[in-house]
Amino acid sequence: MSSPTSGLAGTAKAGGAPMVKAEGVHKSFGTAHILKGIDLEVAPREVFCLIGPSGSGKSTFLRCVNHLEQINAGRLWVDGELIGYRQRGDKLYELKDREVAAKRRDIGMVFQRFNLFPHMTAIENIMEGPVQVKRETKAVARERATALLDRVGLSDKAGNYPAQLSGGQQQRVAIARALAMEPKLMLFDEPTSALDPELVGDVLDVMRGLAEDGMTMIVVTHEMGFAREVGDALVFMDDGAVVESGHPRDVLGNPQHDRTKSFLSKVL
Ligand code: ADP
Ligand code: MG
């Protein structure tokens, strides 16, 4: 098991640096080896789609990017900074919990389940992070939350509680809530998988809008139409490894590996 060491100068924030870079990332839970050497790069402003069978490690990878899991080997950078470590000179120091929390603020994450606070209205859900974590005034937070509700098409639902919203509306509030923290990277973990089919389109439209605005996004999805139309890059993962990657059009239209072909024949 290797761990990050010194001598990483020059890799950080060079011109055109990737927003996310994984190099030989391994992750195990006990004896279960889940990520088996992931290498990938996500460029700024890119919509990076991650597909693969259930259990292949997609969520685990996102959780590593979002500081929710520590990797066991390899290196993982977000915006040029090595996850979990702080560099001073050519020495690396492990981040303290407080520092990890500060880094996580720059990354928005949207899950399959909407995870809104049930006792707060839509607008209160969106204001919560900026007020509690960023110490913004309520007036400032409310102004941004109002604009974000408009952006996700829910201006008329500001005062609704989650239980008074459809799944698709809740998911759009969840996206607005993540955006309220002004993240530089958004992670989506099967954001439409739990939705009734007729509600999927509105959520994908919001994500499409975000992409047009230049947000860097990693999207785990089974929505191949979205991947093909909106994605800039696509990776097919199986059994904890990248099997195939490229432009979505190429990977989806002309898969090279049998495992990719077999997977796509089931989902397309
Ligand atoms: P995917 O998102 O591609 O469906 P996951 O990353 O959720 O895959 O899971 C990959 C594998 O890792 C699964 O076998 C899952 O059971 C296992 N796993 C995920 N999280 C944990 C955990 N906290 N402890 C033990 N095993 C886990
Ligand atoms: Mg998953």
Side-chain angles (χ1 to χ4, degrees), residues 33-72:
H33 195 180
I34 305 300
L35 299 180
K36 302 174 179 174
I38 301 287
D39 296 301
L40 56 81
E41 283 189 18
V42 181
R45 306 173 69 84
E46 191 166 63
V47 177
F48 187 97
C49 297
L50 196 52
I51 65 171
S54 176
S56 55
K58 305 179 300 293
S59 295
T60 301
F61 180 73
L62 286 192
R63 291 173 57 80
C64 292
V65 172
N66 199 21
H67 307 250
L68 292 167
E69 303 285 356
Q70 261 194 320
I71 66 176
N72 300 113

PDB file of all heavy atoms in Angstrom, residues 33-72:
ATOM      1  N   HIS A  33     -11.823  -5.413  -1.904  1.00  0.00           N
ATOM      2  CA  HIS A  33     -11.078  -4.471  -2.747  1.00  0.00           C
ATOM      3  C   HIS A  33     -12.064  -3.877  -3.762  1.00  0.00           C
ATOM      4  O   HIS A  33     -12.492  -4.573  -4.684  1.00  0.00           O
ATOM      5  CB  HIS A  33      -9.952  -5.231  -3.439  1.00  0.00           C
ATOM      6  CG  HIS A  33      -8.917  -4.347  -4.040  1.00  0.00           C
ATOM      7  ND1 HIS A  33      -7.824  -4.830  -4.718  1.00  0.00           N
ATOM      8  CD2 HIS A  33      -8.781  -2.998  -4.063  1.00  0.00           C
ATOM      9  CE1 HIS A  33      -7.078  -3.819  -5.147  1.00  0.00           C
ATOM     10  NE2 HIS A  33      -7.639  -2.700  -4.754  1.00  0.00           N
ATOM     11  N   ILE A  34     -12.437  -2.622  -3.581  1.00  0.00           N
ATOM     12  CA  ILE A  34     -13.533  -2.052  -4.381  1.00  0.00           C
ATOM     13  C   ILE A  34     -13.008  -1.243  -5.564  1.00  0.00           C
ATOM     14  O   ILE A  34     -13.425  -1.439  -6.688  1.00  0.00           O
ATOM     15  CB  ILE A  34     -14.440  -1.160  -3.495  1.00  0.00           C
ATOM     16  CG1 ILE A  34     -14.960  -1.954  -2.286  1.00  0.00           C
ATOM     17  CG2 ILE A  34     -15.581  -0.586  -4.318  1.00  0.00           C
ATOM     18  CD1 ILE A  34     -15.776  -3.169  -2.624  1.00  0.00           C
ATOM     19  N   LEU A  35     -12.115  -0.308  -5.327  1.00  0.00           N
ATOM     20  CA  LEU A  35     -11.517   0.453  -6.439  1.00  0.00           C
ATOM     21  C   LEU A  35     -10.111  -0.090  -6.676  1.00  0.00           C
ATOM     22  O   LEU A  35      -9.295  -0.154  -5.752  1.00  0.00           O
ATOM     23  CB  LEU A  35     -11.476   1.956  -6.120  1.00  0.00           C
ATOM     24  CG  LEU A  35     -12.825   2.640  -5.885  1.00  0.00           C
ATOM     25  CD1 LEU A  35     -12.628   4.131  -5.590  1.00  0.00           C
ATOM     26  CD2 LEU A  35     -13.767   2.444  -7.074  1.00  0.00           C
ATOM     27  N   LYS A  36      -9.846  -0.479  -7.912  1.00  0.00           N
ATOM     28  CA  LYS A  36      -8.621  -1.240  -8.197  1.00  0.00           C
ATOM     29  C   LYS A  36      -7.691  -0.486  -9.134  1.00  0.00           C
ATOM     30  O   LYS A  36      -7.293  -0.992 -10.173  1.00  0.00           O
ATOM     31  CB  LYS A  36      -9.011  -2.594  -8.788  1.00  0.00           C
ATOM     32  CG  LYS A  36      -9.923  -3.404  -7.852  1.00  0.00           C
ATOM     33  CD  LYS A  36     -10.429  -4.667  -8.497  1.00  0.00           C
ATOM     34  CE  LYS A  36     -11.313  -5.441  -7.517  1.00  0.00           C
ATOM     35  NZ  LYS A  36     -11.948  -6.605  -8.159  1.00  0.00           N
ATOM     36  N   GLY A  37      -7.420   0.761  -8.767  1.00  0.00           N
ATOM     37  CA  GLY A  37      -6.475   1.524  -9.576  1.00  0.00           C
ATOM     38  C   GLY A  37      -7.166   2.369 -10.619  1.00  0.00           C
ATOM     39  O   GLY A  37      -7.053   2.123 -11.815  1.00  0.00           O
ATOM     40  N   ILE A  38      -7.895   3.381 -10.147  1.00  0.00           N
ATOM     41  CA  ILE A  38      -8.631   4.258 -11.060  1.00  0.00           C
ATOM     42  C   ILE A  38      -7.715   5.394 -11.521  1.00  0.00           C
ATOM     43  O   ILE A  38      -7.128   6.099 -10.699  1.00  0.00           O
ATOM     44  CB  ILE A  38      -9.868   4.872 -10.356  1.00  0.00           C
ATOM     45  CG1 ILE A  38     -10.816   3.782  -9.849  1.00  0.00           C
ATOM     46  CG2 ILE A  38     -10.579   5.867 -11.271  1.00  0.00           C
ATOM     47  CD1 ILE A  38     -11.596   3.084 -10.930  1.00  0.00           C
ATOM     48  N   ASP A  39      -7.623   5.555 -12.829  1.00  0.00           N
ATOM     49  CA  ASP A  39      -6.923   6.696 -13.427  1.00  0.00           C
ATOM     50  C   ASP A  39      -7.924   7.465 -14.267  1.00  0.00           C
ATOM     51  O   ASP A  39      -8.535   6.879 -15.162  1.00  0.00           O
ATOM     52  CB  ASP A  39      -5.801   6.226 -14.378  1.00  0.00           C
ATOM     53  CG  ASP A  39      -4.708   5.473 -13.651  1.00  0.00           C
ATOM     54  OD1 ASP A  39      -4.096   6.059 -12.745  1.00  0.00           O
ATOM     55  OD2 ASP A  39      -4.480   4.305 -14.000  1.00  0.00           O
ATOM     56  N   LEU A  40      -8.078   8.736 -13.972  1.00  0.00           N
ATOM     57  CA  LEU A  40      -8.923   9.558 -14.851  1.00  0.00           C
ATOM     58  C   LEU A  40      -8.679  11.034 -14.589  1.00  0.00           C
ATOM     59  O   LEU A  40      -8.086  11.408 -13.566  1.00  0.00           O
ATOM     60  CB  LEU A  40     -10.413   9.217 -14.688  1.00  0.00           C
ATOM     61  CG  LEU A  40     -11.083   9.299 -13.315  1.00  0.00           C
ATOM     62  CD1 LEU A  40     -11.454  10.743 -12.983  1.00  0.00           C
ATOM     63  CD2 LEU A  40     -12.346   8.432 -13.315  1.00  0.00           C
ATOM     64  N   GLU A  41      -9.102  11.835 -15.538  1.00  0.00           N
ATOM     65  CA  GLU A  41      -8.988  13.284 -15.394  1.00  0.00           C
ATOM     66  C   GLU A  41     -10.278  13.944 -15.845  1.00  0.00           C
ATOM     67  O   GLU A  41     -10.838  13.571 -16.873  1.00  0.00           O
ATOM     68  CB  GLU A  41      -7.849  13.838 -16.272  1.00  0.00           C
ATOM     69  CG  GLU A  41      -6.482  13.603 -15.694  1.00  0.00           C
ATOM     70  CD  GLU A  41      -5.402  14.351 -16.465  1.00  0.00           C
ATOM     71  OE1 GLU A  41      -5.740  15.301 -17.215  1.00  0.00           O
ATOM     72  OE2 GLU A  41      -4.235  13.981 -16.308  1.00  0.00           O
ATOM     73  N   VAL A  42     -10.718  14.905 -15.069  1.00  0.00           N
ATOM     74  CA  VAL A  42     -11.893  15.694 -15.422  1.00  0.00           C
ATOM     75  C   VAL A  42     -11.431  17.132 -15.619  1.00  0.00           C
ATOM     76  O   VAL A  42     -10.891  17.743 -14.689  1.00  0.00           O
ATOM     77  CB  VAL A  42     -12.951  15.635 -14.303  1.00  0.00           C
ATOM     78  CG1 VAL A  42     -14.181  16.453 -14.686  1.00  0.00           C
ATOM     79  CG2 VAL A  42     -13.326  14.195 -13.981  1.00  0.00           C
ATOM     80  N   ALA A  43     -11.632  17.646 -16.816  1.00  0.00           N
ATOM     81  CA  ALA A  43     -11.201  19.015 -17.105  1.00  0.00           C
ATOM     82  C   ALA A  43     -12.205  20.017 -16.546  1.00  0.00           C
ATOM     83  O   ALA A  43     -13.388  19.691 -16.392  1.00  0.00           O
ATOM     84  CB  ALA A  43     -11.073  19.208 -18.614  1.00  0.00           C
ATOM     85  N   PRO A  44     -11.737  21.243 -16.244  1.00  0.00           N
ATOM     86  CA  PRO A  44     -12.684  22.274 -15.826  1.00  0.00           C
ATOM     87  C   PRO A  44     -13.777  22.465 -16.884  1.00  0.00           C
ATOM     88  O   PRO A  44     -13.500  22.384 -18.076  1.00  0.00           O
ATOM     89  CB  PRO A  44     -11.818  23.533 -15.718  1.00  0.00           C
ATOM     90  CG  PRO A  44     -10.439  23.033 -15.540  1.00  0.00           C
ATOM     91  CD  PRO A  44     -10.365  21.733 -16.278  1.00  0.00           C
ATOM     92  N   ARG A  45     -14.979  22.675 -16.430  1.00  0.00           N
ATOM     93  CA  ARG A  45     -16.163  22.926 -17.262  1.00  0.00           C
ATOM     94  C   ARG A  45     -16.657  21.674 -18.009  1.00  0.00           C
ATOM     95  O   ARG A  45     -17.564  21.760 -18.828  1.00  0.00           O
ATOM     96  CB  ARG A  45     -15.916  24.050 -18.290  1.00  0.00           C
ATOM     97  CG  ARG A  45     -15.421  25.334 -17.671  1.00  0.00           C
ATOM     98  CD  ARG A  45     -15.029  26.363 -18.703  1.00  0.00           C
ATOM     99  NE  ARG A  45     -16.178  26.886 -19.421  1.00  0.00           N
ATOM    100  CZ  ARG A  45     -16.945  27.870 -18.991  1.00  0.00           C
ATOM    101  NH1 ARG A  45     -16.671  28.456 -17.832  1.00  0.00           N
ATOM    102  NH2 ARG A  45     -17.980  28.269 -19.690  1.00  0.00           N
ATOM    103  N   GLU A  46     -16.062  20.551 -17.692  1.00  0.00           N
ATOM    104  CA  GLU A  46     -16.429  19.326 -18.405  1.00  0.00           C
ATOM    105  C   GLU A  46     -17.604  18.631 -17.714  1.00  0.00           C
ATOM    106  O   GLU A  46     -17.723  18.663 -16.497  1.00  0.00           O
ATOM    107  CB  GLU A  46     -15.217  18.390 -18.404  1.00  0.00           C
ATOM    108  CG  GLU A  46     -15.327  17.194 -19.302  1.00  0.00           C
ATOM    109  CD  GLU A  46     -13.970  16.520 -19.504  1.00  0.00           C
ATOM    110  OE1 GLU A  46     -13.395  16.032 -18.510  1.00  0.00           O
ATOM    111  OE2 GLU A  46     -13.495  16.493 -20.642  1.00  0.00           O
ATOM    112  N   VAL A  47     -18.454  17.999 -18.519  1.00  0.00           N
ATOM    113  CA  VAL A  47     -19.479  17.098 -17.993  1.00  0.00           C
ATOM    114  C   VAL A  47     -18.952  15.682 -18.197  1.00  0.00           C
ATOM    115  O   VAL A  47     -18.833  15.203 -19.324  1.00  0.00           O
ATOM    116  CB  VAL A  47     -20.824  17.283 -18.704  1.00  0.00           C
ATOM    117  CG1 VAL A  47     -21.842  16.276 -18.175  1.00  0.00           C
ATOM    118  CG2 VAL A  47     -21.334  18.707 -18.501  1.00  0.00           C
ATOM    119  N   PHE A  48     -18.599  15.076 -17.098  1.00  0.00           N
ATOM    120  CA  PHE A  48     -17.904  13.795 -17.114  1.00  0.00           C
ATOM    121  C   PHE A  48     -18.860  12.723 -16.628  1.00  0.00           C
ATOM    122  O   PHE A  48     -19.284  12.742 -15.475  1.00  0.00           O
ATOM    123  CB  PHE A  48     -16.681  13.909 -16.192  1.00  0.00           C
ATOM    124  CG  PHE A  48     -15.770  12.729 -16.220  1.00  0.00           C
ATOM    125  CD1 PHE A  48     -14.638  12.731 -17.021  1.00  0.00           C
ATOM    126  CD2 PHE A  48     -16.028  11.610 -15.443  1.00  0.00           C
ATOM    127  CE1 PHE A  48     -13.783  11.640 -17.032  1.00  0.00           C
ATOM    128  CE2 PHE A  48     -15.185  10.517 -15.457  1.00  0.00           C
ATOM    129  CZ  PHE A  48     -14.052  10.535 -16.261  1.00  0.00           C
ATOM    130  N   CYS A  49     -19.235  11.820 -17.513  1.00  0.00           N
ATOM    131  CA  CYS A  49     -20.227  10.802 -17.151  1.00  0.00           C
ATOM    132  C   CYS A  49     -19.539   9.506 -16.763  1.00  0.00           C
ATOM    133  O   CYS A  49     -18.561   9.088 -17.384  1.00  0.00           O
ATOM    134  CB  CYS A  49     -21.176  10.557 -18.311  1.00  0.00           C
ATOM    135  SG  CYS A  49     -22.131  12.028 -18.744  1.00  0.00           S
ATOM    136  N   LEU A  50     -20.073   8.894 -15.719  1.00  0.00           N
ATOM    137  CA  LEU A  50     -19.517   7.653 -15.193  1.00  0.00           C
ATOM    138  C   LEU A  50     -20.639   6.625 -15.237  1.00  0.00           C
ATOM    139  O   LEU A  50     -21.694   6.825 -14.628  1.00  0.00           O
ATOM    140  CB  LEU A  50     -19.064   7.928 -13.757  1.00  0.00           C
ATOM    141  CG  LEU A  50     -18.136   6.983 -13.027  1.00  0.00           C
ATOM    142  CD1 LEU A  50     -16.901   6.678 -13.849  1.00  0.00           C
ATOM    143  CD2 LEU A  50     -17.735   7.620 -11.694  1.00  0.00           C
ATOM    144  N   ILE A  51     -20.417   5.566 -16.003  1.00  0.00           N
ATOM    145  CA  ILE A  51     -21.440   4.529 -16.091  1.00  0.00           C
ATOM    146  C   ILE A  51     -20.817   3.182 -15.723  1.00  0.00           C
ATOM    147  O   ILE A  51     -19.591   3.026 -15.720  1.00  0.00           O
ATOM    148  CB  ILE A  51     -22.066   4.453 -17.502  1.00  0.00           C
ATOM    149  CG1 ILE A  51     -21.028   4.010 -18.548  1.00  0.00           C
ATOM    150  CG2 ILE A  51     -22.668   5.802 -17.907  1.00  0.00           C
ATOM    151  CD1 ILE A  51     -21.639   3.703 -19.917  1.00  0.00           C
ATOM    152  N   GLY A  52     -21.684   2.236 -15.422  1.00  0.00           N
ATOM    153  CA  GLY A  52     -21.199   0.899 -15.099  1.00  0.00           C
ATOM    154  C   GLY A  52     -22.218   0.149 -14.273  1.00  0.00           C
ATOM    155  O   GLY A  52     -23.128   0.756 -13.709  1.00  0.00           O
ATOM    156  N   PRO A  53     -22.053  -1.169 -14.198  1.00  0.00           N
ATOM    157  CA  PRO A  53     -23.040  -1.971 -13.469  1.00  0.00           C
ATOM    158  C   PRO A  53     -23.078  -1.623 -11.989  1.00  0.00           C
ATOM    159  O   PRO A  53     -22.120  -1.058 -11.444  1.00  0.00           O
ATOM    160  CB  PRO A  53     -22.564  -3.418 -13.666  1.00  0.00           C
ATOM    161  CG  PRO A  53     -21.344  -3.380 -14.487  1.00  0.00           C
ATOM    162  CD  PRO A  53     -20.985  -1.979 -14.803  1.00  0.00           C
ATOM    163  N   SER A  54     -24.164  -1.973 -11.375  1.00  0.00           N
ATOM    164  CA  SER A  54     -24.318  -1.801  -9.940  1.00  0.00           C
ATOM    165  C   SER A  54     -23.200  -2.553  -9.213  1.00  0.00           C
ATOM    166  O   SER A  54     -22.859  -3.677  -9.584  1.00  0.00           O
ATOM    167  CB  SER A  54     -25.694  -2.363  -9.546  1.00  0.00           C
ATOM    168  OG  SER A  54     -25.843  -2.304  -8.173  1.00  0.00           O
ATOM    169  N   GLY A  55     -22.608  -1.902  -8.242  1.00  0.00           N
ATOM    170  CA  GLY A  55     -21.544  -2.538  -7.467  1.00  0.00           C
ATOM    171  C   GLY A  55     -20.156  -2.365  -8.056  1.00  0.00           C
ATOM    172  O   GLY A  55     -19.178  -2.879  -7.518  1.00  0.00           O
ATOM    173  N   SER A  56     -20.056  -1.612  -9.155  1.00  0.00           N
ATOM    174  CA  SER A  56     -18.736  -1.487  -9.796  1.00  0.00           C
ATOM    175  C   SER A  56     -17.846  -0.448  -9.108  1.00  0.00           C
ATOM    176  O   SER A  56     -16.666  -0.351  -9.430  1.00  0.00           O
ATOM    177  CB  SER A  56     -18.898  -1.165 -11.285  1.00  0.00           C
ATOM    178  OG  SER A  56     -19.693  -0.024 -11.480  1.00  0.00           O
ATOM    179  N   GLY A  57     -18.414   0.330  -8.188  1.00  0.00           N
ATOM    180  CA  GLY A  57     -17.586   1.266  -7.425  1.00  0.00           C
ATOM    181  C   GLY A  57     -17.787   2.728  -7.779  1.00  0.00           C
ATOM    182  O   GLY A  57     -17.033   3.594  -7.328  1.00  0.00           O
ATOM    183  N   LYS A  58     -18.839   3.036  -8.532  1.00  0.00           N
ATOM    184  CA  LYS A  58     -19.061   4.414  -8.973  1.00  0.00           C
ATOM    185  C   LYS A  58     -19.321   5.343  -7.778  1.00  0.00           C
ATOM    186  O   LYS A  58     -18.713   6.411  -7.672  1.00  0.00           O
ATOM    187  CB  LYS A  58     -20.257   4.471  -9.954  1.00  0.00           C
ATOM    188  CG  LYS A  58     -20.109   3.530 -11.145  1.00  0.00           C
ATOM    189  CD  LYS A  58     -21.315   3.586 -12.077  1.00  0.00           C
ATOM    190  CE  LYS A  58     -22.642   3.199 -11.438  1.00  0.00           C
ATOM    191  NZ  LYS A  58     -22.740   1.785 -11.032  1.00  0.00           N
ATOM    192  N   SER A  59     -20.235   4.933  -6.903  1.00  0.00           N
ATOM    193  CA  SER A  59     -20.530   5.775  -5.738  1.00  0.00           C
ATOM    194  C   SER A  59     -19.315   5.893  -4.831  1.00  0.00           C
ATOM    195  O   SER A  59     -19.032   6.966  -4.291  1.00  0.00           O
ATOM    196  CB  SER A  59     -21.701   5.191  -4.935  1.00  0.00           C
ATOM    197  OG  SER A  59     -22.875   5.215  -5.702  1.00  0.00           O
ATOM    198  N   THR A  60     -18.607   4.803  -4.678  1.00  0.00           N
ATOM    199  CA  THR A  60     -17.406   4.837  -3.835  1.00  0.00           C
ATOM    200  C   THR A  60     -16.412   5.848  -4.386  1.00  0.00           C
ATOM    201  O   THR A  60     -15.819   6.625  -3.630  1.00  0.00           O
ATOM    202  CB  THR A  60     -16.774   3.426  -3.764  1.00  0.00           C
ATOM    203  OG1 THR A  60     -17.732   2.518  -3.220  1.00  0.00           O
ATOM    204  CG2 THR A  60     -15.520   3.441  -2.903  1.00  0.00           C
ATOM    205  N   PHE A  61     -16.264   5.863  -5.704  1.00  0.00           N
ATOM    206  CA  PHE A  61     -15.330   6.822  -6.286  1.00  0.00           C
ATOM    207  C   PHE A  61     -15.781   8.262  -6.008  1.00  0.00           C
ATOM    208  O   PHE A  61     -14.978   9.106  -5.587  1.00  0.00           O
ATOM    209  CB  PHE A  61     -15.157   6.595  -7.792  1.00  0.00           C
ATOM    210  CG  PHE A  61     -14.198   7.570  -8.408  1.00  0.00           C
ATOM    211  CD1 PHE A  61     -12.837   7.466  -8.178  1.00  0.00           C
ATOM    212  CD2 PHE A  61     -14.665   8.639  -9.167  1.00  0.00           C
ATOM    213  CE1 PHE A  61     -11.949   8.391  -8.707  1.00  0.00           C
ATOM    214  CE2 PHE A  61     -13.784   9.564  -9.700  1.00  0.00           C
ATOM    215  CZ  PHE A  61     -12.426   9.444  -9.472  1.00  0.00           C
ATOM    216  N   LEU A  62     -17.071   8.536  -6.206  1.00  0.00           N
ATOM    217  CA  LEU A  62     -17.570   9.896  -5.924  1.00  0.00           C
ATOM    218  C   LEU A  62     -17.333  10.258  -4.463  1.00  0.00           C
ATOM    219  O   LEU A  62     -16.971  11.391  -4.139  1.00  0.00           O
ATOM    220  CB  LEU A  62     -19.064  10.005  -6.227  1.00  0.00           C
ATOM    221  CG  LEU A  62     -19.518  10.052  -7.680  1.00  0.00           C
ATOM    222  CD1 LEU A  62     -20.986  10.464  -7.753  1.00  0.00           C
ATOM    223  CD2 LEU A  62     -18.679  11.015  -8.511  1.00  0.00           C
ATOM    224  N   ARG A  63     -17.569   9.292  -3.576  1.00  0.00           N
ATOM    225  CA  ARG A  63     -17.380   9.573  -2.147  1.00  0.00           C
ATOM    226  C   ARG A  63     -15.910   9.874  -1.832  1.00  0.00           C
ATOM    227  O   ARG A  63     -15.617  10.671  -0.946  1.00  0.00           O
ATOM    228  CB  ARG A  63     -17.899   8.404  -1.306  1.00  0.00           C
ATOM    229  CG  ARG A  63     -19.439   8.285  -1.364  1.00  0.00           C
ATOM    230  CD  ARG A  63     -19.934   7.009  -0.671  1.00  0.00           C
ATOM    231  NE  ARG A  63     -19.509   6.933   0.720  1.00  0.00           N
ATOM    232  CZ  ARG A  63     -20.106   7.572   1.724  1.00  0.00           C
ATOM    233  NH1 ARG A  63     -21.170   8.311   1.489  1.00  0.00           N
ATOM    234  NH2 ARG A  63     -19.655   7.463   2.948  1.00  0.00           N
ATOM    235  N   CYS A  64     -15.002   9.251  -2.545  1.00  0.00           N
ATOM    236  CA  CYS A  64     -13.584   9.562  -2.355  1.00  0.00           C
ATOM    237  C   CYS A  64     -13.289  10.991  -2.832  1.00  0.00           C
ATOM    238  O   CYS A  64     -12.570  11.740  -2.168  1.00  0.00           O
ATOM    239  CB  CYS A  64     -12.708   8.570  -3.119  1.00  0.00           C
ATOM    240  SG  CYS A  64     -12.736   6.887  -2.466  1.00  0.00           S
ATOM    241  N   VAL A  65     -13.875  11.372  -3.964  1.00  0.00           N
ATOM    242  CA  VAL A  65     -13.663  12.730  -4.489  1.00  0.00           C
ATOM    243  C   VAL A  65     -14.210  13.765  -3.509  1.00  0.00           C
ATOM    244  O   VAL A  65     -13.663  14.843  -3.341  1.00  0.00           O
ATOM    245  CB  VAL A  65     -14.334  12.894  -5.872  1.00  0.00           C
ATOM    246  CG1 VAL A  65     -14.296  14.343  -6.342  1.00  0.00           C
ATOM    247  CG2 VAL A  65     -13.662  11.989  -6.898  1.00  0.00           C
ATOM    248  N   ASN A  66     -15.279  13.397  -2.817  1.00  0.00           N
ATOM    249  CA  ASN A  66     -15.946  14.323  -1.905  1.00  0.00           C
ATOM    250  C   ASN A  66     -15.456  14.180  -0.463  1.00  0.00           C
ATOM    251  O   ASN A  66     -16.152  14.593   0.469  1.00  0.00           O
ATOM    252  CB  ASN A  66     -17.464  14.096  -1.968  1.00  0.00           C
ATOM    253  CG  ASN A  66     -18.238  15.264  -1.424  1.00  0.00           C
ATOM    254  OD1 ASN A  66     -17.728  16.378  -1.359  1.00  0.00           O
ATOM    255  ND2 ASN A  66     -19.463  15.016  -1.018  1.00  0.00           N
ATOM    256  N   HIS A  67     -14.308  13.568  -0.276  1.00  0.00           N
ATOM    257  CA  HIS A  67     -13.687  13.469   1.052  1.00  0.00           C
ATOM    258  C   HIS A  67     -14.518  12.639   2.037  1.00  0.00           C
ATOM    259  O   HIS A  67     -14.362  12.786   3.246  1.00  0.00           O
ATOM    260  CB  HIS A  67     -13.462  14.849   1.699  1.00  0.00           C
ATOM    261  CG  HIS A  67     -12.716  15.833   0.865  1.00  0.00           C
ATOM    262  ND1 HIS A  67     -11.439  16.243   1.153  1.00  0.00           N
ATOM    263  CD2 HIS A  67     -13.071  16.494  -0.257  1.00  0.00           C
ATOM    264  CE1 HIS A  67     -11.040  17.133   0.253  1.00  0.00           C
ATOM    265  NE2 HIS A  67     -12.016  17.292  -0.614  1.00  0.00           N
ATOM    266  N   LEU A  68     -15.438  11.836   1.533  1.00  0.00           N
ATOM    267  CA  LEU A  68     -16.250  11.031   2.454  1.00  0.00           C
ATOM    268  C   LEU A  68     -15.587   9.688   2.740  1.00  0.00           C
ATOM    269  O   LEU A  68     -15.948   9.001   3.692  1.00  0.00           O
ATOM    270  CB  LEU A  68     -17.661  10.804   1.876  1.00  0.00           C
ATOM    271  CG  LEU A  68     -18.528  12.056   1.786  1.00  0.00           C
ATOM    272  CD1 LEU A  68     -19.770  11.805   0.927  1.00  0.00           C
ATOM    273  CD2 LEU A  68     -18.942  12.528   3.176  1.00  0.00           C
ATOM    274  N   GLU A  69     -14.667   9.294   1.884  1.00  0.00           N
ATOM    275  CA  GLU A  69     -13.896   8.064   2.101  1.00  0.00           C
ATOM    276  C   GLU A  69     -12.432   8.390   1.861  1.00  0.00           C
ATOM    277  O   GLU A  69     -12.113   9.185   0.975  1.00  0.00           O
ATOM    278  CB  GLU A  69     -14.298   6.959   1.099  1.00  0.00           C
ATOM    279  CG  GLU A  69     -15.754   6.576   1.096  1.00  0.00           C
ATOM    280  CD  GLU A  69     -16.148   5.726   2.295  1.00  0.00           C
ATOM    281  OE1 GLU A  69     -15.252   5.361   3.099  1.00  0.00           O
ATOM    282  OE2 GLU A  69     -17.347   5.447   2.425  1.00  0.00           O
ATOM    283  N   GLN A  70     -11.573   7.743   2.626  1.00  0.00           N
ATOM    284  CA  GLN A  70     -10.139   7.913   2.395  1.00  0.00           C
ATOM    285  C   GLN A  70      -9.642   6.810   1.484  1.00  0.00           C
ATOM    286  O   GLN A  70      -9.992   5.635   1.685  1.00  0.00           O
ATOM    287  CB  GLN A  70      -9.399   7.846   3.726  1.00  0.00           C
ATOM    288  CG  GLN A  70      -9.070   9.229   4.257  1.00  0.00           C
ATOM    289  CD  GLN A  70      -8.062   9.168   5.381  1.00  0.00           C
ATOM    290  OE1 GLN A  70      -8.142   8.284   6.228  1.00  0.00           O
ATOM    291  NE2 GLN A  70      -7.135  10.101   5.396  1.00  0.00           N
ATOM    292  N   ILE A  71      -8.855   7.169   0.511  1.00  0.00           N
ATOM    293  CA  ILE A  71      -8.333   6.149  -0.393  1.00  0.00           C
ATOM    294  C   ILE A  71      -7.173   5.423   0.290  1.00  0.00           C
ATOM    295  O   ILE A  71      -6.549   5.938   1.221  1.00  0.00           O
ATOM    296  CB  ILE A  71      -7.907   6.748  -1.747  1.00  0.00           C
ATOM    297  CG1 ILE A  71      -6.719   7.699  -1.606  1.00  0.00           C
ATOM    298  CG2 ILE A  71      -9.088   7.490  -2.391  1.00  0.00           C
ATOM    299  CD1 ILE A  71      -6.227   8.217  -2.963  1.00  0.00           C
ATOM    300  N   ASN A  72      -6.914   4.192  -0.161  1.00  0.00           N
ATOM    301  CA  ASN A  72      -5.863   3.382   0.452  1.00  0.00           C
ATOM    302  C   ASN A  72      -4.543   3.478  -0.298  1.00  0.00           C
ATOM    303  O   ASN A  72      -3.486   3.226   0.261  1.00  0.00           O
ATOM    304  CB  ASN A  72      -6.279   1.910   0.503  1.00  0.00           C
ATOM    305  CG  ASN A  72      -7.554   1.713   1.304  1.00  0.00           C
ATOM    306  OD1 ASN A  72      -8.583   1.344   0.745  1.00  0.00           O
ATOM    307  ND2 ASN A  72      -7.499   1.985   2.585  1.00  0.00           N
TER     308      ASN A  72
END
